[in-house]
Amino acid sequence: MDIKVNFSGRAIRYTEEEIAVVVDVMRNADTLTQGVHMRDFESKFAAYQGVAPGSCFVTMNGVSALELSAQLCRFKPGDEVVMPSHTFTASAYPYIKKGATMVWADVDLLTRVVTAETIEKAITPRTRAVVVVHLYGYVADMTAIAALCKERGLILIEDAAQAIGSVVDGKKAGSFGDMSIFSFHSHKNLTTLGEGGMLYVRDPKLAALVPTLRHNGHCGFDYERPDYWKPAMGNVDLPMLDGEPMQPNNYCLGEVECALGAKLLERIDSINDEKRARALRFIDALADFPELEFHRVDSPRHNYHLLAARMTTGVEARDRFIRTMFNEKGVKCVVQYIPLDRYDYYRRLGMGTANCPNADTFFDSMISFPFQHWLTEEEFDYMLTSTREVLASLR
């Protein structure tokens, strides 16, 4: 098959200025990890998010940030985490590794994210934390969800891996929770050479632990030393939180990636705006095909990290559409985010039961179109024309 429009694993192309930043760090950085570019990226990211200085921490990927957030929850036996069933597996398993049990929450059928109502249905006396995933780039109703979590005394964590730059109620995705995470994976609107992540921690007491937890327990000595090399170049300690030991990790990101991330913050809003404008063009051009249901949002609340739709005429029609688009038009659409309760991994752990009819309905009829930022106008127009032709042929 001659693929004319591929579902690429790479979201953006870098500008010459961005490439120059990478080359400069490669040539001139005094250290290639844990240096000035890491601190600069963290500082600029906090400013971009509108959160307190010193509350954002670079990690080697989004999962590392999730692992740290799970560690800071300090789960006890029997603790539960409310988690959308319709998300990527990395949103969930770090919390299981730290001792929590997943309780699956349904999503809204149109927005494809959880709501305060679907979360409340999943809360039990054992609930310790709630994870809200801003899937596809759309921010959930965080004002209502934050109020619910505050009322119930629950830790609120935002998985904003796909939603950098999206805004609701005047605040950025990832600025509502007690903690939040971001991903700079190859698929994301901001990507630091394929991998990268960020953790936001609201509580200064918890935030103070993150550098040591992130970097092998390394820290400074708490006294003045006459010789900088004695008793060692630096200390390694066991971080403690309320008398409880916290085991360290190595979740560091290199200086090259950090410098690139800081530079990309200068154009992430324009990337989001351009993707949103193109998504709306695609959606509006298919308005006379109601069998393909999109989530149309003409505001910064959606950054259109992905362009997904639901085939309202059912699973068989969805499968015929994808098959025809690929075999006859060379356009590779995909299906994403099987409800996690269906995976063998979660079933083997006794977490294979869910009451999430909207998640099931959406996944079983969803289509994700190629939507990398660097898609050419010719490819975009061809995909749109092909979509119209295939939909018409299936009527």
Side-chain angles (χ1 to χ4, degrees), residues 260-278:
L260 178 59
K263 181 65 177 176
L264 281 166
L265 285 174
E266 298 174 8
R267 73 172 177 119
I268 183 58
D269 288 343
S270 64
I271 290 172
N272 289 348
D273 290 345
E274 289 160 9
K275 293 195 73 174
R276 186 184 313 108
R278 183 174 263 188

Side-chain angles (χ1 to χ4, degrees), residues 239-259:
M240 303 289 290
L241 182 58
D242 298 331
E244 181 180 331
M246 311 279 285
Q247 291 293 336
N249 318 273
N250 185 353
Y251 294 149
C252 303
L253 187 68
E255 287 286 272
V256 170
E257 292 90 341
C258 289

